[in-house]
Amino acid sequence: MTVATARAHPNIALVKYWGKADAASNLPATGSLSMTLDIFPTTTTVRIVDRDHDRVVFNGAEREGTVRDRVVRFLDHVRLLAGREDRAEVITENTVPSAAGLASSASGFAALAQAASTAYGLALDDRSLSRLARRGSGSAARSVIPRFAVWHAGSDEQSFAEPVQAPPIEMVIATVDAREKAVSSRDAMQRTAMTSPFYPAWVTSTAQTLESALEACRSGDLERLGRITETNALRMHAAIQGSDPSIRYLTPRSWAIFDAVAQLRGEGVLAWATADAGPNVCVISPPEHTAAVAERIGALADVVIARPGPGVRLQETDA
Ligand code: PMV
C-alpha cells in the first residue's frame, strides 16, 4: 500500500496527563483516562511520493515551519520503523471549528499514525499504533481507542492506551474563548514541572486518582467518577498556576461555568466540570441530564454535545 486514509476524533481527559517522564518519546509522568468524542473528526491521507521532501497540507493550505517540522519528525520515526526512506504527502482535513477551542493534535496525530503506518507498509496492532500516536502528541495515544481509554505511564513498551468500560456519560463542551492559548501545553507542562512546588504533589496524587477512577469505572459509580474528574482538573490547574511565571488558563467565564455546574448539582442534576489547558469547560453528565446541563450552560457560552465516539479507523481513499 502506498496511500492510506484514516479518521480519528478528539478526546477529553477525565484524569489528566500533565507532565512528562521523558520528553523525547512523550512518556507521561502519570497515567490518564479519557473519553473519545463522536464529533469533530480529523481525516488524514498519507501518500508515498517520488520526491525528495515531505509535503504537508492542512485544510487546503500548504504548511511550512513548525507544523511541517513536527509532522516530518513523526514521519521520520515511521520511516525508521518501516526501514524506508521515501518521502510522503500528508493531506489533513480537520473539522474542529476553530471556534470550538478544542485541541486537534490528539485526533490529528492518531489519524496520522494510522494513515502513515499503513502507507509505509506497517501493520500495527492497537497497542503499537497507540504508542506511535503518543510520539506525535501525548494525548493522541488515547484517540486511537473508542469510547473510554486509559493511557498507561511506564516505559516506551508499556505506555499505550487501551479501552476501559465506563458508566454512561455525555459531554457538554462550552466554548469560552476560541483564541489560540497564550502558552502552549508543551511549554506550560515543562514550566509546571520545573517551577511549580505543587508539581510533585500533582504527580503522586494523580497516580492514586487514576486508580480510584478506574475502580469507579469498574463498579459503574458515575458520581464517584464525576467527583474525581472535577477535582483532578482543578488540581491540574492549581499546579499550573503555581508555576513561575504563573500561568492561568481559566478565566472568570470559565469559573462561572464551574459555579453553574455546582449549582446544578445542588438542584439534583448530576454534572461535573473539567477543563484542559485553556479557558473552555467540558461538563460530563449521564445522558438523561445532558439537556438540562446544555440549557443552563448554554446561557453562559456556546455549547455543543458530544457522546462517546469511535477509535481511529482506516477509510476509503478518494482518487
Ligand atoms: O497531548 P498534549 O501534549 O496536547 O497535552 C494534553 C494536555 C491536556 O489536554 C491538558 C490534558 C490531557 O490529558 O489531555
Side-chain angles (χ1 to χ4, degrees), residues 9-319:
H9 292 73
N11 73 77
I12 300 291
L14 309 181
V15 175
K16 305 289 187 193
Y17 149 57
W18 195 257
K20 298 177 201 279
D22 178 76
S25 47
N26 260 352
L27 296 175
T30 57
S32 54
L33 173 72
S34 62
M35 178 176 125
T36 301
L37 312 185
D38 67 339
I39 54 173
F40 305 146
T42 300
T43 308
T44 295
T45 297
V46 174
R47 179 177 277 110
I48 311 292
V49 290
D50 187 15
R51 233 192 262 129
D52 61 358
H53 68 283
D54 296 310
R55 185 163 174 252
V56 177
V57 178
F58 183 86
N59 284 357
E62 177 126 20
R63 293 300 193 103
E64 298 291 341
T66 49
V67 172
R68 181 177 171 279
D69 293 349
R70 209 167 154 192
V71 172
V72 171
R73 256 202 317 279
F74 187 83
L75 292 174
D76 284 342
H77 186 72
V78 175
R79 285 187 277 255
L80 187 74
L81 294 176
R84 292 178 60 167
E85 290 187 350
D86 344 39
R87 302 290 119 179
E89 180 176 75
V90 176
I91 300 190
T92 292
E93 291 295 330
N94 186 27
T95 62
V96 181
S98 51
L102 281 182
S104 57
S105 61
S107 53
F109 279 102
L112 180 61
Q114 176 76 80
S117 60
T118 307
Y120 277 98
L122 294 166
L124 300 182
D125 60 18
D126 284 355
R127 285 186 179 187
S128 304
L129 194 60
S130 174
R131 288 172 52 231
L132 175 60
R134 186 198 78 217
R135 288 179 172 266
S137 173
S139 55
R142 301 184 310 234
S143 273
V144 168
I145 307 300
R147 298 180 60 81
F148 297 92
V150 58
W151 169 27
H152 304 288
S155 66
D156 175 45
E157 281 293 317
Q158 296 163 328
S159 189
F160 54 85
E162 61 182 336
V164 288
Q165 293 292 332
I169 290 174
E170 294 182 345
M171 198 175 271
V172 173
I173 298 168
T175 303
V176 170
D177 185 345
R179 277 174 303 186
E180 190 146 328
K181 51 197 170 208
V183 189
S184 72
S185 56
R186 178 176 295 238
D187 291 350
M189 251 182 224
Q190 202 182 4
R191 195 188 300 173
T192 307
M194 303 288 287
T195 66
S196 176
F198 309 137
Y199 181 70
W202 159 257
V203 172
T204 42
S205 68
T206 298
Q208 176 56 48
T209 298
L210 180 62
E211 286 312 309
S212 307
L214 291 173
E215 247 174 61
C217 283
R218 276 193 291 274
S219 59
D221 189 339
L222 171 65
E223 296 197 33
R224 185 171 178 206
L225 182 62
R227 231 173 30 245
I228 289 171
T229 297
E230 192 168 303
T231 303
N232 182 256
L234 294 176
R235 284 180 179 167
M236 180 188 79
H237 284 276
I240 294 171
Q241 286 180 39
S243 302
D244 179 18
S246 182
I247 303 164
R248 242 178 345 135
Y249 284 121
L250 299 175
T251 67
R253 283 184 75 206
S254 321
W255 289 117
I257 296 172
F258 274 84
D259 287 345
V261 169
Q263 198 178 16
L264 278 165
R265 282 199 299 270
E267 297 165 17
V269 175
L270 297 179
W272 298 270
T274 182
D276 282 343
N280 301 317
V281 180
C282 299
V283 184
I284 59 167
S285 60
E288 63 273 21
H289 289 180
T290 307
V293 174
E295 196 188 328
R296 183 72 58 90
I297 305 305
L300 300 169
D302 288 340
V303 295
V304 53
I305 295 172
R307 301 187 170 83
V312 69
R313 283 193 197 146
L314 283 170
Q315 311 284 311
E316 293 278 325
T317 302
D318 298 334

